[in-house]
Amino acid sequence: MGLTGTSTLTAAVLSAAVLFAGTVWCWPRLARRSWRAVGGRVGLLLATQLVLFVCVALAANRGFGFYASWADLLGRERGEGVVVEHTPGGADGAGGPLRVVGLARAEGLAGRAAAAGQIQRVRIVGRTTRIATPALVYLPPEYFRPRYRTRTFPVAVVLTGYPGTAEALVRGLRYPQTAHRLAAAGRMRPMVLVMLRPTVAPPRDTECVDVPGGPRTESFFAEDLPEAVRAHYRVDRAPDGWGVVGDSTGGYCALKLAMHHPGAYAAGAGMSAYYRAPVDRTTGDLYGGDRNLRHRADLWWCLENLPAPDTSLLVSSSREGENNYKDTLEFLRRVKAKGLTRISSIILDSGGHNFHTWRREIPATLRWMSGRLNAR
């Protein structure tokens, strides 16, 4: 029974119902003042409340995608490696550092691939960083239609927050469903979505930093990931066909990748992003005493001390409910003062740091991204 499975949540709800009914049924028998009766009442109440708490926690995790499995929850996931086939040839470049391991289903995208698109489960191993991570790749319906067989597609790399799961981008934030709906309505161009979490070395939060002696996360996203996707799919090879978007930690990573690597990503969108990497118990020592690394992870420092990158940025916040509102306004002011970098914003009247708010921002974000990326 998986952590996010329907059977697990159903079993927890049924257990809560049984305990509640049992408590009501047994309460008259436990109404005496003996130690055994008091202990029975306390035990039933605690058990019922505990199971109710488990139900709420499972439902919240299922909706927000905090943890993908029991091993992830318990900190036992270590991102084990995968076999990489390097045999040349095959449909769409079956060899290389990206391997399709299955298909994923999504509500609202049922049917033939040429009508609804397809979500593929993949494993990616970085050629230079040797980082191995799972991902989900959404291919739009046009990808499978004969009239588009010579066309390449723009790509948006979509990042979760921390810890996050790629499945949450489909089930909770509904990126593929939204992209499919907008493209079908002619409001954005068909786009390939590469969906994954920035936590490539779970349970550590590496904040998309090349950690000294540790995971070279920034290099993976800036170099290895685009290389692997280009080798396998019919996607644009030029950076003006690539963008990156994320929320929270993923939003910070998206802005940093676009600012540091305009030669890899022509656009970066940070929803509810922050602008300086935190250092806490989840990150550990990210910089190993290297001042330059610490500065590069600080987007404020980058704005003041590095040349303005020739890229497009999008930031979002809410006047009420988001802690980054004032920082976002200041970030907008500083970017505009630099002159070269193009920047846009989505500012809601109210909205918290949660899936509901980001779902309200995703349609406009995808349309913005589509307008910044070239199609061939």
Side-chain angles (χ1 to χ4, degrees):
M1 296 174 66
L3 180 63
T4 60
T6 302
S7 58
T8 303
L9 181 59
T10 301
V13 171
L14 289 176
S15 298
V18 169
L19 276 170
F20 177 78
T23 300
V24 173
W25 180 263
C26 295
W27 198 260
R29 301 182 184 182
L30 300 174
R32 295 185 295 273
R33 295 185 179 181
S34 66
W35 286 108
R36 181 176 297 179
V38 171
R41 294 198 298 269
V42 171
L44 284 173
L45 289 174
L46 287 177
T48 303
Q49 292 183 25
L50 176 63
V51 175
L52 285 173
F53 174 80
V54 169
C55 291
V56 173
L58 287 171
N61 185 68
R62 181 182 171 89
F64 290 96
F66 297 120
Y67 299 97
S69 64
W70 296 108
D72 192 12
L73 174 65
L74 298 174
R76 294 175 180 170
E77 185 176 303
R78 291 295 182 268
E80 64 184 50
V82 298
V83 175
V84 182
E85 299 291 346
H86 294 281
T87 304
D92 266 348
L98 185 151
R99 183 165 62 96
V100 178
V101 297
L103 299 178
R105 295 183 178 180
E107 182 183 352
L109 293 181
R112 296 180 301 108
Q118 187 178 89
I119 301 175
Q120 297 182 347
R121 296 185 182 276
V122 304
R123 293 285 294 182
I124 301 170
V125 177
R127 181 180 62 83
T128 63
T129 62
R130 308 311 302 168
I131 288 174
T133 188
L136 296 174
V137 177
Y138 166 70
L139 302 173
E142 292 79 3
Y143 190 91
F144 302 95
R145 295 174 184 170
R147 60 181 290 197
Y148 293 91
R149 64 182 179 275
T150 61
R151 175 178 170 178
T152 59
F153 291 82
V155 180
V157 174
V158 186
L159 302 176
T160 70
Y162 174 82
T165 65
E167 286 77 8
L169 296 171
V170 176
R171 186 177 59 246
L173 292 178
R174 300 177 65 83
Y175 268 97
Q177 297 93 322
T178 304
H180 177 67
R181 173 173 55 83
L182 293 174
R187 301 174 70 187
M188 65 172 279
R189 290 193 297 267
M191 185 182 301
V192 172
L193 304 181
V194 181
M195 300 169 285
L196 68 168
R197 60 185 186 178
T199 312
V200 295
R204 188 178 187 183
D205 177 12
T206 56
E207 293 290 327
C208 296
V209 170
D210 279 355
V211 180
R216 295 170 53 216
T217 313
E218 182 172 351
S219 293
F220 172 79
F221 284 109
E223 302 169 15
D224 288 348
L225 177 62
E227 179 184 86
V229 174
R230 288 188 183 109
H232 195 92
Y233 297 106
R234 296 195 321 273
V235 298
D236 283 351
R237 305 193 68 83
D240 62 359
W242 283 69
V244 56
V245 58
D247 59 77
S248 192
T249 298
Y252 160 76
C253 288
L255 295 176
K256 181 170 72 171
L257 288 167
M259 291 174 66
H260 287 182
H261 305 278
Y265 296 104
M271 297 186 297
S272 303
Y274 45 85
Y275 306 98
R276 179 185 293 116
V279 176
D280 54 29
R281 63 179 182 83
T282 65
T283 65
D285 182 7
L286 291 175
Y287 314 118
D290 189 320
R291 181 178 298 180
N292 289 331
L293 275 181
R294 187 173 71 251
H295 286 331
R296 278 178 56 82
D298 186 338
L299 301 188
W300 301 114
W301 185 92
C302 293
L303 286 177
E304 295 298 325
N305 296 278
L306 299 179
D310 186 9
T311 190
S312 296
L313 302 177
L314 171 69
V315 292
S316 80
S317 188
S318 304
R319 293 183 179 89
E320 294 184 10
E322 273 286 9
N323 293 328
N324 77 333
Y325 176 60
K326 292 183 178 179
D327 282 347
T328 297
L329 296 183
E330 179 62 17
F331 188 79
L332 284 165
R333 186 191 69 79
R334 294 193 191 186
V335 171
K336 287 189 287 186
K338 297 287 283 191
L340 181 61
T341 302
R342 298 162 295 281
I343 190 161
S344 307
S345 66
I346 299 172
I347 304 296
L348 302 177
D349 288 333
S350 65
H353 198 81
N354 54 52
F355 277 25
H356 177 69
T357 298
W358 299 328
R359 279 194 296 266
R360 295 163 59 197
E361 298 170 345
I362 287 171
T365 299
L366 288 177
R367 292 197 303 270
W368 174 89
M369 185 73 70
S370 174
R372 273 34 179 207
L373 303 183
N374 290 329
R376 293 170 179 83

